[in-house]
C-alpha cells in the first residue's frame, strides 16, 4: 500500500507542501496506472549477472557463425577482431591461464588492445547487450535463440567453448565459471556512493609549494591543426582570439593568383580567411554555399563586385542574415577569393 | 599577417601600428617603406604614444560615422520564430574530435567552454554523447514504466508526469570520460576538447522519490536500473539511496522541454553522478536488490588500474575545476589586465573555494566565486591578473565542502596509472608563452 508517512517526508523535502497537501496527494494517485503483465514482459528485457530475466532457449556455435557472417561481420569483422567501426570484441590475447584464474593477464600490458572479452566479467552482459542493441543499425530484431547462438559463436572465438558447443539457459552458469576476467572487477573504491572515501586528495599548500614544473608533455606543432584551424574556434573579436594553426597561404603581392588555378578550390585561403565559419562548399550554412555563389555569378565578370562584397559585407541578396565585412583581409587575398568566386562556369 | 590586422581589433586603444591609415598600410604593403613613408610611420607612432598617455586619440570612425545599423530599418519581430545567436558568434559551436571515435553515432560533440560565461550551458551548445545515435521521440507515444521490487508496477504518460508536482534544480552534468584523452599526455589543443563534456543546466521534472513512493518500492532494495527507449536501450545501475535524495525524472531543461539530443521527452537526472547514468529517452525504472552489470558498466565505464583490476560502478564525479579562458589555442591580445575565468564543480557537494596559480602550482591565490553554494552545480570563478609578457603556467584548484581538494595530475597518475580512461579530475595546466599564445601542457 501507499505510504503516506513517507510521502509526507518526500513532500516536505522536495515540495514544501502546506497543510492542504493531503488532499492533492491522494488525487496524485489518479495519475499513472498499473502496468499490465504483457506490458512488463514487453519492456522488462534486462538480464542480470545471476541470470534473472534470462529467457529460455538455445543456439549453437555453428548457427551463430552463419548469423554473424550475415549480420555482424560487416562491422565487427569475420572474427570479431575489426577495429573499423568499434573496438575489437575478441582478438586472441586471452590465455588458458586466464580462463583458469578468472583474471586476464594482458590487462596489465599497456600495449595490448583491450577487447570486450578481456574486460567483461559477466556473461549476462554480452547476452543482454546483443539482445537489446545489436545489430547496431537494426536493434531488437534478433530472436531469443539467435542471441544464444551469437553469444555461443563469440565464446568460441574467444576460445572459451568448443566448436560444437550449444549454449542455452541451462548451461549459462557453467560458462560463466569460465569467463576469462570473471574475477577482474573490484568495487573497492570511493566512487559508488556520494559518501565514498576518495583515493587521491590534492595538497592544500599555497606558498612556495614543492612541485615539479618541468614540462613533460605538450602538443607538437604538427598536431596543433589536427582539430582544424583554432583561429576559427574562438570568439574572433575578444581579448583572446584563436591561434592561427592552419598554414598561411604564401601569396606574394607581386604575383596575383594565376588564372589556371581558378578551377581549384582555394581551401587553405578560405580556411585562414575565416570564410568556412559561415560558408560551406555545397550547402548553405550561415551564408550560401560557395557552389551556389559561383553558379549565380558565372560568366558575369563579377569579380570586382564580389571583392567589394567580401570586404564590406552585406545583406539581403541571399536572405536576411548579414555577412560582416571581412575588413581584416589583405586586398590581394580578397581579390584572389573574388576571382575564384567569379570564375564559375 | 598584414599590418593592423584583426588581431588588433577589439580594443579601443590598439597597438601603435593600428593607427596607420588604410592608405599608408596599402602603400607599404605594395611598395615597401621608403623615406617619406618612414616619416609618416614615425609620426603615427608618436601620435599613438601620445594617445596612450591620455593626450590625444584618433577619432573612431565607428563613432564619428553613422554605422549602417543606425540608419536602416531593422528586421521584423519573429523573423526567427525560434531565436538564433548573432551570425558573428558562428565560431561558438559544438565540435567533434577527429579520430576519437570510428563512427558519428557512437561519438561525442564537445561544448565550446572557452567562450561561454556564467554557469548555465545554452541548451543548443550542450555536449552530445550518444551510443547509438539520437532519436526524435513522439511524446504522445512515449511511456515511463516503473517495475521490479515495487508493490504496484506503474506506467505514466508524459502528460501524467507534466501534471505532477515538479521541482527545478541546477546541476552540472559531466561525462565520466571527460578529460579522458589527457591521462597519458597532452593530446588535444583546446579546453573544448579537454573538458567540453561538461554542462550546467536547470532541470525540471518530478522527484524520483515521489514516483517510487507511489509505486511502493521495497525498502530493502538498493539498486535502480534506468533504461532508455532508443536503439541502444541504454541501461545503467543507479545507487538507489543516493537517487532517492535528489534524482529527478526530468522533462525540462533551461525552461523548455529537453532537446532531442538530451533525451526528449524524458531523462533521468542523477546529480553528482557521471553523465552516462543520466539515461536519456528514459522509458523504464526497475527497482532491484542486485547490480546489473550492463554493457556500459562491464565493458566500458570501468576504470583500469595498474594492477589490471577494473573498478566497476564508479559513478561519482569528484571535485574538479578548469580555467576556460585564457586557455589553450587562444592568444593574449597584448599585455595588461586579464580576468582568468573558469568553472569548478563537485559531485559530492558544493564548491567551497577555488585557487589559481600562474606559476605551475608553486603559489596559489583565492579566486572570486559566482553562483557559489549550489550543490552539485557549476561555480564560475574569476581571478584578476596582469600579464607583462612573461611565460606563465596557469592552473586552478577546487576545494569542496567535504574538505576534498582537487589533485595534481602526477598524484592521480601515481595511484591510478594512465589507462583508466574515466574520472580524470586532475589539475589542468595551460602554458602562456611570451608571445601570448596559450597551449595545453603537462608538468612533471
Amino acid at each position: 500500500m501507499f505510504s503516506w508517512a513517507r510521502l509526507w517526508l518526500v513532500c516536505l523535502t522536495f515540495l514544501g507542501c502546506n497543510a492542504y497537501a493531503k488532499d492533492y496527494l491522494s488525487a496524485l494517485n489518479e495519475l499513472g496506472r498499473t502496468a499490465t503483465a504483457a506490458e512488463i514482459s514487453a519492456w522488462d528485457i534486462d538480464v542480470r549477472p545471476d541470470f534473472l530475466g534470462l529467457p529460455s532457449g538455445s543456439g549453437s556455435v555453428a548457427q551463430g557463425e552463419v548469423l554473424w557472417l550475415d549480420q555482424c561481420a560487416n562491422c565487427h569483422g569475420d572474427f570479431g577482431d575489426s577495429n573499423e567501426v568499434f573496438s575489437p570484441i575478441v582478438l586472441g590475447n586471452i590465455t588458458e591461464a586466464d580462463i583458469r584464474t578468472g583474471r586476464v593477464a594482458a590487462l596489465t600490458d599497456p600495449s595490448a588492445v583491450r577487447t570486450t572479452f578481456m574486460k567483461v566479467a559477466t556473461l549476462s552482459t554480452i547476452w543482454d547487450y546483443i539482445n537489446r542493441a545489436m545489430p547496431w543499425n537494426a536493434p531488437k530484431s534478433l530472436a531469443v535463440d539467435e542471441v544464444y547462438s551469437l553469444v555461443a559463436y563469440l565464446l568460441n572465438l574467444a576460445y572459451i567453448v568448443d566448436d560444437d558447443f550449444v549454449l542455452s539457459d541451462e548451461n549459462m552458469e557453467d560458462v560463466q565459471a569460465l569467463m576469462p576476467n570473471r574475477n577482474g572487477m573490484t568495487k573497492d573504491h570511493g566512487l559508488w556512493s556520494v559518501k565514498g572515501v576518495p583515493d587521491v586528495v590534492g595538497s592544500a599548500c599555497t606558498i612556495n609549494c614543492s612541485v615539479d614544473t618541468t614540462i613533460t608533455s605538450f602538443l607538437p606543432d604538427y598536431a596543433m591543426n589536427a582539430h582544424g584551424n583554432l583561429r576559427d574556434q574562438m570568439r574572433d573579436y575578444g581579448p583572446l582570439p584563436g591561434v592561427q594553426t592552419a598554414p598561411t597561404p604564401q601569396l606574394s603581392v607581386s604575383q596575383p593568383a594565376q588564372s589556371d588555378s581558378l578551377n581549384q578550390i582555394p581551401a587553405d585561403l578560405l580556411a585562414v580567411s575565416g570564410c568556412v565559419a559561415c560558408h560551406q562548399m555545397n550547402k548553405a550554412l550561415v551564408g550560401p554555399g560557395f557552389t551556389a555563389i559561383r553558379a549565380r555569378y558565372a560568366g558575369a565578370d563579377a569579380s570586382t563586385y564580389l571583392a567589394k562584397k567580401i570586404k564590406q559585407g552585406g545583406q539581403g541578396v541571399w536572405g536576411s542574415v548579414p555577412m560582416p565585412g571581412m575588413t581584416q583581409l589583405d586586398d590581394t587575398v580578397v581579390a584572389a577569393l573574388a576571382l575564384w568566386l567569379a570564375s564559375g562556369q | 599577417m598584414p599590418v593592423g590586422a584583426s588581431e588588433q581589433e577589439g580594443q579601443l586603444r590598439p597597438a601603435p601600428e593600428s593607427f596607420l591609415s588604410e592608405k599608408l598600410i596599402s602603400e607599404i604593403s605594395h611598395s615597401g617603406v621608403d623615406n617619406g613613408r618612414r616619416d609618416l610611420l614615425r609620426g603615427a607612432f608618436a601620435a599613438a604614444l601620445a594617445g596612450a598617455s591620455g593626450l590625444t586619440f584618433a577619432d573612431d570612425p565607428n563613432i564619428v560615422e553613422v554605422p549602417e545599423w543606425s540608419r536602416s530599418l531593422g528586421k521584423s519581430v519573429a523573423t526567427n520564430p525560434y531565436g538564433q545567436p548573432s551570425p558573428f558568434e558562428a565560431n561558438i559551436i559544438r565540435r567533434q574530435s577527429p579520430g576519437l571515435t570510428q563512427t558519428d553515432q557512437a561519438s561525442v560533440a564537445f561544448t565550446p567552454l572557452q567562450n561561454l560565461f556564467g554557469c548555465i550551458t545554452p541548451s543548443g551548445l550542450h555536449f552530445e554523447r550518444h551510443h547509438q545515435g539520437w532519436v526524435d521521440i513522439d511524446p504522445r507515444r512515449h511511456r515511463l514504466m516503473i517495475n521490479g521490487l515495487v508493490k504496484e508496477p506503474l506506467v505514466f504518460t508524459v502528460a501524467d508526469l507534466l501534471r505532477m508536482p515538479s521541482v527545478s534544480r541546477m546541476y552540472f552534468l559531466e561525462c565520466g570520460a571527460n578529460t579522458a584523452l589527457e591521462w597519458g599526455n597532452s593530446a588535444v589543443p583546446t579546453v573544448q576538447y579537454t573538458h567540453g563534456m561538461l554542462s550546467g543546466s536547470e532541470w525540471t521534472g518530478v522527484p524520483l522519490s515521489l514516483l517510487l513512493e507511489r509505486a511502493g518500492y521495497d525498502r530493502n532494495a538498493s539498486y535502480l536500473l534506468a533504461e532508455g527507449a532508443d536503439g541502444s536501450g541504454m541501461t545503467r545501475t543507479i545507487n538507489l539511496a543516493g537517487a532517492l535524495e535528489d534524482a529527478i525524472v526530468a522533462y525540462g531543461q533551461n525552461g523548455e522541454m529537453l532537446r532531442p539530443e538530451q533525451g526528449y521527452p524524458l531523462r533521468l537526472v542523477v546529480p553528482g553522478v557521471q553523465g552516462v547514468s543520466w539515461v536519456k529517452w528514459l522509458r523504464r525504472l526497475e527497482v532491484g536488490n542486485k547490480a546489473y552489470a550492463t554493457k556500459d558498466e562491464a565493458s566500458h565505464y570501468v576504470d583500469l588500474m595498474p594492477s589490471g583490476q577494473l573498478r566497476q560502478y564508479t559513478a561519482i564525479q569528484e571535485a574538479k575545476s578548469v580555467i576556460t579562458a585564457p586557455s589553450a589555442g587562444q592568444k593574449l591580445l597584448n599585455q595588461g589586465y586579464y580576468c582568468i575565468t573558469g568553472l569548478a564543480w563537485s559531485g559530492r557537494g558544493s564548491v567551497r573555494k577555488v585557487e589559481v596559480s600562474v606559476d605551475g602550482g608553486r603559489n596559489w591565490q583565492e579566486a572570486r566565486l559566482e553562483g557559489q553554494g549550489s550543490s552539485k552545480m557549476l561555480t564560475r570563478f574569476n581571478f584578476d591578473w596582469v600579464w607583462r609578457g612573461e611565460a606563465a603556467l596557469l592552473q586552478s584548484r577546487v576545494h569542496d565542502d567535504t574538505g576534498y581538494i582537487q589533485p595534481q595530475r602526477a598524484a592521480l597518475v601515481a595511484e591510478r596509472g594512465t589507462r583508466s580512461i574515466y574520472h580524470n579530475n586532475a589539475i589542468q595546466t595551460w602554458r602562456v608563452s611570451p608571445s601570448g599564445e596559450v597551449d595545453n601542457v603537462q608538468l612533471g
Side-chain angles (χ1 to χ4, degrees):
Chain A
M1 249 309 288
F2 188 66
S3 152
W4 289 110
R6 276 291 298 201
L7 188 49
W8 262 109
L9 244 169
V10 171
C11 176
L12 288 176
T13 333
F14 268 110
L15 311 169
C17 303
N18 59 29
Y20 305 102
K22 240 178 134 175
D23 282 346
Y24 59 76
L25 285 181
S26 78
L28 262 181
N29 264 345
E30 292 156 26
L31 301 177
R33 64 156 172 83
T34 310
T36 70
E39 287 170 346
I40 295 173
S41 76
W43 273 13
D44 184 358
I45 58 168
D46 66 89
V47 179
R48 233 166 45 171
D50 60 0
F51 301 118
L52 184 75
L54 182 69
S56 52
S58 68
S60 69
V61 171
Q63 289 163 331
E65 180 172 14
V66 175
L67 276 170
W68 179 269
L69 293 177
D70 190 34
Q71 296 195 34
C72 323
N74 55 334
C75 289
H76 292 292
D78 287 358
F79 305 103
D81 57 348
S82 168
N83 201 16
E84 284 286 301
V85 169
F86 199 62
S87 338
I89 296 177
V90 280
L91 210 60
N93 34 17
I94 292 169
T95 66
E96 272 177 38
D98 295 343
I99 295 179
R100 243 190 346 269
T101 59
R103 286 287 300 274
V104 171
L107 282 174
T108 57
D109 173 3
S111 66
V113 176
R114 277 174 263 172
T115 67
T116 308
F117 272 87
M118 282 169 68
K119 294 178 287 182
V120 173
T122 37
L123 183 57
S124 60
T125 305
I126 313 269
W127 202 101
D128 174 271
Y129 182 65
I130 293 177
N131 182 50
R132 72 172 56 244
M134 288 293 133
W136 205 45
N137 46 355
K140 298 173 190 74
S141 61
L142 297 169
V144 167
D145 286 348
E146 292 178 324
V147 178
Y148 275 107
S149 65
L150 286 161
V151 176
Y153 178 67
L154 290 174
L155 286 163
N156 178 252
L157 286 179
Y159 301 115
I160 299 167
V161 302
D162 292 332
D163 295 354
D164 57 1
F165 193 76
V166 179
L167 184 68
S168 73
D169 52 307
E170 309 269 291
N171 60 15
M172 287 278 279
E173 230 166 304
D174 302 337
V175 180
Q176 171 60 44
L178 301 173
M179 285 295 280
N181 202 40
R182 63 189 174 278
N183 299 321
M185 297 282 174
T186 175
K187 292 175 196 160
D188 184 17
H189 57 73
L191 296 183
W192 169 244
S193 158
V194 73
K195 299 189 182 75
V197 180
D199 55 350
V200 184
V201 181
S203 151
C205 172
T206 54
I207 301 166
N208 281 327
C209 311
S210 79
V211 284
D212 184 354
T213 57
T214 322
I215 307 257
T216 53
S217 181
F218 60 91
L219 262 72
D221 275 348
Y222 67 80
M224 288 305 281
N225 198 45
H227 284 68
N229 193 358
L230 300 184
R231 186 181 158 141
D232 302 332
Q233 303 191 13
M234 306 286 164
R235 184 167 288 120
D236 53 6
Y237 55 88
L240 297 164
V243 172
Q244 172 74 35
T245 53
T248 319
Q250 297 302 314
L251 258 178
S252 108
V253 182
S254 54
Q255 294 174 323
Q258 296 300 305
S259 57
D260 57 35
S261 65
L262 281 179
N263 287 322
Q264 257 186 316
I265 298 167
D268 280 357
L269 207 53
L270 294 170
V272 295
S273 309
C275 316
V276 293
C278 300
H279 292 282
Q280 285 189 351
M281 202 53 62
N282 292 322
K283 66 173 201 225
L285 198 62
V286 179
F290 282 131
T291 312
I293 298 177
R294 277 165 62 87
R296 182 174 189 142
Y297 297 105
D301 192 19
S303 66
T304 317
Y305 163 79
L306 288 175
K308 194 166 155 240
K309 284 302 283 259
I310 295 168
K311 196 88 182 180
Q312 298 179 354
Q315 183 185 1
V317 180
W318 297 84
S320 63
V321 182
M323 166 165 156
M326 301 279 111
T327 48
Q328 81 278 11
L329 293 182
D330 193 286
D331 284 344
T332 358
V333 173
V334 173
L337 287 169
L339 215 57
W340 171 70
L341 283 164
S343 69
Q345 268 112 41
Chain B
M1 173 145 309
V3 183
S6 69
E7 231 130 295
Q8 305 303 335
E9 279 181 14
Q11 48 179 358
L12 278 173
R13 197 158 59 189
E17 65 268 33
S18 296
F19 279 75
L20 308 186
S21 72
E22 290 218 24
K23 181 161 168 285
L24 183 58
I25 292 168
S26 87
E27 279 177 14
I28 292 171
S29 54
H30 281 92
S31 328
V33 180
D34 64 13
N35 274 339
R37 295 195 187 98
R38 192 163 287 128
D39 283 342
L40 281 171
L41 262 174
R42 281 207 196 92
F45 275 97
L49 280 174
S53 59
L55 294 175
T56 22
F57 290 110
D59 294 331
D60 184 344
N62 291 299
I63 296 174
V64 296
E65 287 159 25
V66 187
E68 54 277 23
W69 50 81
S70 301
R71 49 184 158 79
S72 56
L73 176 61
K75 290 171 224 171
S76 312
V77 297
T79 299
N80 299 322
Y82 195 110
Q84 297 292 312
S86 159
F88 297 100
E89 297 298 317
N91 286 356
I92 323 302
I93 53 172
R94 298 189 283 223
R95 292 186 172 85
Q96 280 178 271
S97 179
L100 176 61
T101 57
Q102 298 96 322
T103 67
D104 290 340
Q105 293 90 353
S107 192
V108 184
F110 295 85
T111 293
L113 297 176
Q114 64 274 16
N115 285 126
L116 301 187
F117 315 115
C119 303
I120 298 284
T121 309
S123 301
L125 293 177
H126 191 294
F127 76 93
E128 294 178 68
R129 169 74 176 111
H130 317 303
H131 289 259
Q132 212 142 334
W134 59 276
V135 286
D136 279 314
I137 290 183
D138 178 349
R140 290 175 193 79
R141 294 174 53 201
H142 188 71
R143 303 287 181 268
L144 175 70
M145 179 183 288
I146 299 179
N147 72 321
L149 301 178
V150 294
K151 295 207 179 86
E152 186 191 2
L154 296 170
V155 283
F156 294 94
T157 61
V158 175
D160 289 333
L161 295 168
L162 284 167
R163 192 167 169 181
M164 294 184 79
S166 68
V167 293
S168 295
R169 298 282 142 88
M170 312 275 221
Y171 293 117
F172 78 82
L173 167 50
E174 185 186 20
C175 177
N178 201 22
T179 323
L181 292 164
E182 299 286 308
W183 275 108
N185 53 279
S186 301
V188 287
T190 74
V191 71
Q192 178 159 16
Y193 308 105
T194 59
H195 288 76
M197 288 199 272
L198 172 73
S199 67
S201 301
E202 183 198 65
W203 306 95
T204 297
V206 183
L208 175 76
S209 54
L210 195 69
L211 297 169
L212 292 187
E213 278 293 342
R214 165 80 208 281
Y217 74 95
D218 184 338
R219 295 296 185 271
N220 297 319
S222 41
Y223 299 95
L224 181 73
L225 182 78
E227 180 178 78
D230 61 317
S232 79
M234 172 56 73
T235 34
R236 287 281 305 179
T237 304
I238 314 284
N239 183 331
L240 182 59
L244 283 169
E245 298 278 319
D246 51 13
I248 302 172
V249 172
Y251 44 76
Q253 181 185 0
N254 298 332
E256 60 183 355
M257 281 299 284
L258 293 162
R259 295 289 169 95
E261 300 97 310
Q262 301 307 328
Y264 181 94
L266 293 180
R267 156 173 231 175
L268 190 64
V269 166
V270 199
V273 169
Q274 63 183 351
V276 64
S277 293
W278 297 41
V279 172
K280 295 183 282 192
W281 312 292
L282 182 72
R283 77 167 194 184
R284 192 167 71 92
L285 294 165
E286 177 179 305
V287 179
N289 55 6
K290 284 197 174 129
Y292 291 84
T294 69
K295 186 267 269 175
D296 286 301
E297 50 203 26
S299 183
H300 310 284
Y301 303 88
V302 284
D303 310 11
L304 181 62
M305 294 295 113
S307 65
Q309 271 197 319
L310 292 157
R311 287 184 176 174
Q312 196 174 24
Y313 305 115
T314 48
I316 304 291
Q317 295 297 106
E318 293 185 294
K320 183 167 170 181
S321 70
V322 67
I323 293 170
T324 53
S327 61
Q330 296 182 325
K331 188 174 174 182
L332 307 187
L333 199 60
N334 55 14
Q335 295 182 21
Y337 174 86
Y338 284 88
C339 177
I340 295 179
T341 188
L343 294 166
W345 62 101
S346 169
R348 294 199 204 271
S350 59
V351 167
R352 195 164 62 78
K353 176 161 81 176
V354 178
E355 296 157 312
V356 168
S357 170
V358 296
D359 59 6
R362 211 170 282 287
N363 295 287
W364 296 88
Q365 278 174 281
E366 217 169 311
R368 289 190 307 281
L369 302 183
E370 303 286 336
Q372 186 192 10
S374 190
S375 185
K376 304 176 185 177
M377 177 53 181
L378 301 181
T379 295
R380 168 68 57 179
F381 65 85
N382 291 308
F383 180 82
D384 302 310
W385 185 45
V386 178
W387 183 60
R388 289 295 174 215
E390 72 279 14
L393 295 170
L394 310 185
Q395 296 186 337
S396 67
R397 178 171 83 183
V398 60
H399 299 234
D400 74 12
D401 63 354
T402 69
Y404 177 85
I405 305 170
Q406 184 183 10
Q408 287 285 2
R409 186 179 164 277
L412 205 60
V413 166
E415 174 71 20
R416 301 189 194 163
T418 56
R419 301 194 298 139
S420 61
I421 304 178
Y422 307 95
H423 304 291
N424 181 355
N425 67 328
I427 290 173
Q428 170 71 48
T429 310
W430 307 126
R431 170 173 63 182
V432 180
S433 304
S435 69
E437 289 192 7
V438 188
D439 72 334
N440 172 14
V441 300
Q442 292 182 351
L443 306 184

